[in-house]
Amino acid sequence: GEDVEQSLFLSVREGDSSVINCTYTDSSSTYLYWYKQEPGAGLQLLTYIFSNMDMKQDQRLTVLLNKKDKHLSLRIADTQTGDSAIYFCAVPSGGYNKLIFGAGTRLAVHP
Amino acid sequence: DAGVTQSPTHLIKTRGQQVTLRCSPISGHKSVSWYQQVLGQGPQFIFQYYEKEERGRGNFPDRFSARQFPNYSSELNVNALLLGDSALYLCASSARLVTYEQYFGPGTRLTVT
């Protein structure tokens, strides 16, 4: 079945860029997603990228997709303390509404 | 418009008991999906309901069941609770059966003692 892997922890200084990486196994995925989860909260859809795109930019967020290597990344420019959260990569499986999530990358932003 | 709402926020149950969790989707959304998120892990898909019919089921035992009502709200039932059922249960709503946009509620934190 589909498998999604992420590194578990990332620490950056405020103002620097953050890059969160994700690899997946199912090459038929049409959309790939990034969700954000703040402590004690549900999941917030941050952005998504269609599989025929290499890059998508949305304000401070840049998503890069390498289909050959099945690698997805999320870059956050000018990282702020409010960006501290867990970021999940998610890939649809068996239909768009069934998502397979990675274990999440905890982003810690320090002064 | 209100987002996805879930109730209760927190719940403590004893092993062997039964629990019912509730979800109200965004107005106009006809699909509801349920996910279980164990501490330190990503969410895992349990069910999807669309137009009151089950459209997808994850790898969960028959102790887990769900239903969707005519107003598209949904309930998740878990029988014979185990300690391992302790988790955050998330509900997601979307407008259609197959869509690239799903919106999650805040979740129900279930603790089984």
Side-chain angles (χ1 to χ4, degrees):
Chain A
E2 176 71 78
D3 190 27
V4 178
E5 293 194 359
Q6 301 178 238
S7 53
L8 295 183
F9 189 75
L10 177 65
S11 178
V12 300
R13 185 178 303 176
E14 192 174 13
D16 287 351
S17 292
S18 308
V19 179
I20 301 170
N21 295 301
C22 168
T23 57
Y24 59 97
T25 55
D26 185 357
S27 61
S28 66
S29 300
T30 307
Y31 289 93
L32 301 100
Y33 302 84
W34 286 103
Y35 281 86
K36 175 183 179 182
Q37 186 174 40
E38 298 187 51
L43 298 175
Q44 174 193 352
L45 177 61
L46 268 183
T47 187
Y48 56 86
I49 187 169
F50 190 53
S51 60
N52 68 354
M53 300 169 66
D54 298 324
M55 185 182 81
K56 178 181 179 182
Q57 189 151 2
D58 185 0
Q59 300 182 345
R60 292 191 298 122
L61 305 178
T62 302
V63 179
L64 295 178
L65 175 60
N66 182 328
K67 285 194 70 177
K68 175 177 171 292
D69 295 337
K70 298 179 187 175
H71 183 267
L72 184 71
S73 68
L74 174 69
R75 178 178 180 269
I76 305 173
D78 187 24
T79 312
Q80 302 297 308
T81 54
D83 295 322
S84 295
I86 301 176
Y87 291 80
F88 291 95
C89 171
V91 175
S93 176
Y96 295 115
N97 287 21
K98 176 183 176 182
L99 296 177
I100 305 298
F101 286 83
T105 299
R106 182 178 296 274
L107 175 64
V109 183
H110 56 87
Chain B
D1 277 343
V4 180
T5 58
Q6 294 186 244
S7 63
T9 305
H10 295 91
L11 204 51
I12 299 175
K13 290 286 189 177
T14 305
R15 275 178 298 176
Q17 287 188 317
Q18 175 264 340
V19 68
T20 298
L21 311 180
R22 295 176 177 83
C23 170
S24 292
I26 293 170
S27 178
H29 283 195
K30 298 181 178 180
S31 174
V32 169
S33 298
W34 287 95
Y35 289 80
Q36 180 197 64
Q37 185 180 18
V38 173
L39 194 62
Q41 297 181 19
Q44 281 198 296
F45 175 80
I46 309 175
F47 287 111
Q48 182 192 357
Y49 275 77
Y50 178 76
E51 292 279 20
K52 303 183 289 296
E53 291 187 9
E54 182 184 304
R55 296 305 187 112
R57 172 184 279 260
N59 189 22
F60 280 81
D62 292 343
R63 300 185 296 109
F64 288 77
S65 64
R67 56 179 174 168
Q68 187 176 33
F69 299 99
N71 66 353
Y72 303 111
S73 66
S74 177
E75 288 182 350
L76 174 70
N77 295 285
V78 187
N79 293 323
L81 285 167
L82 304 174
L83 294 179
D85 295 330
S86 295
L88 179 69
Y89 288 84
L90 295 162
C91 171
S93 89
S94 55
R96 293 177 294 275
L97 174 61
V98 178
T99 178
Y100 54 87
E101 289 188 352
Q102 284 191 78
Y103 299 93
F104 283 81
T108 293
R109 172 76 60 189
L110 172 65
T111 302
V112 182
T113 61

